[in-house]
Amino acid sequence: ARVSVSWRWMSQHDRLWSEHCRALWATKAFVPAGIKNSADSAMRRYFRSVQDAKRTVITCDELCSLDWFFRFKSAAGTHWTEGDPYWQGKPAQAMKFRPDGTILREGTPMDGWHWHFTSVPAASLQSLEMSPFDYRGFGRGVVVVHHELGSFPAQLVHRHHDWSFIMNSVWVVYANAPMDLASAHERGLSDVALNKLDARWQWLEARRYNDSQAAISSDDDGDEGGDSSSGSTHGDD
């Protein structure tokens, strides 16, 4: 009889925590399937999901299975923002990362573009005035590369309060939830909010990128007499 009472209590206890799980997860944009479908007790799954929401290292499977929405930040400069649907009051562009390194924009492959992971400073080091190349192996960022424009500054992974992922750099942001100007401030996805996430080393990367592009443009001008005003450097750095 004592065993029967114990099993009954455990069953009721698990049902209660299952309700807690359903109520919590209903308000969240992302909970790993491995936690949701785990054979662990409901209470353990609940607290595992809360702990996972603090994780800022995204896996390849997660990056490539999630739908992403992209926009430029105003710091990129008007050359980039004036053609961005987000800044015209429209929804941010839908993007998809694929395991082979290619990228889709609105369902269409982006010729000449690919992505890869890179090592970046850990959160505790992000305020240091050092390049990420001085602190390899502490964390994981995502780099988008164009075959002519080169590697853009790394995007650092953050978590939104709804547990979705945000990949933020000084010039662009990717979120795995839709974005538009009207809701950005309310959801904490405005430039004002996102700029607080920028790490010092990310700005140093941006400056390095602009310097390298300026050098290329200067070389082209010297060789061909081209117009450097049409270069691909970004805005304020």
Side-chain angles (χ1 to χ4, degrees), residues 216-230:
I216 293 171
S217 179
S218 177
D219 289 343
D220 289 344
D221 289 348
D223 294 340
E224 304 174 12
D227 179 5
S228 63
S229 66
S230 62

Side-chain angles (χ1 to χ4, degrees), residues 122-144:
S124 60
L125 297 174
Q126 287 166 19
S127 62
L128 294 182
E129 297 187 14
M130 303 291 284
S131 162
F133 301 105
D134 299 316
Y135 290 97
R136 285 294 176 183
F138 286 95
R140 197 181 206 188
V142 176
V143 172
V144 172

Side-chain angles (χ1 to χ4, degrees), residues 20-152:
H20 289 327
C21 287
R22 279 192 285 272
L24 175 65
W25 297 345
T27 66
K28 305 304 179 185
F30 178 78
V31 180
I35 293 178
K36 281 186 172 181
N37 303 325
S38 169
D40 288 339
S41 68
M43 182 176 70
R44 177 163 172 73
R45 284 185 285 127
Y46 180 97
F47 286 108
R48 281 183 61 196
S49 71
V50 171
Q51 183 64 33
D52 184 81
K54 303 174 184 178
R55 172 174 57 91
T56 56
V57 176
I58 192 169
T59 69
C60 183
D61 284 345
E62 288 169 340
L63 181 72
C64 296
S65 64
L66 293 169
D67 294 321
W68 293 91
F69 299 88
F70 165 87
R71 73 170 181 86
F72 285 103
K73 296 166 73 175
S74 59
T78 56
H79 175 79
W80 298 91
T81 58
E82 64 185 6
D84 186 347
Y86 173 89
W87 291 103
Q88 315 309 316
K90 301 175 182 178
Q93 299 177 80
M95 310 288 284
K96 196 77 175 179
F97 295 91
R98 300 203 292 193
D100 63 1
T102 56
I103 305 171
L104 302 180
R105 179 172 58 195
E106 301 292 349
T108 301
M110 297 177 65
D111 293 337
W113 294 86
H114 68 275
W115 71 272
H116 64 81
F117 285 119
T118 188
S119 296
V120 298
S124 60
L125 297 174
Q126 287 166 19
S127 62
L128 294 182
E129 297 187 14
M130 303 291 284
S131 162
F133 301 105
D134 299 316
Y135 290 97
R136 285 294 176 183
F138 286 95
R140 197 181 206 188
V142 176
V143 172
V144 172
V145 184
H146 185 264
H147 72 288
E148 291 182 347
L149 301 180
S151 297
F152 289 89

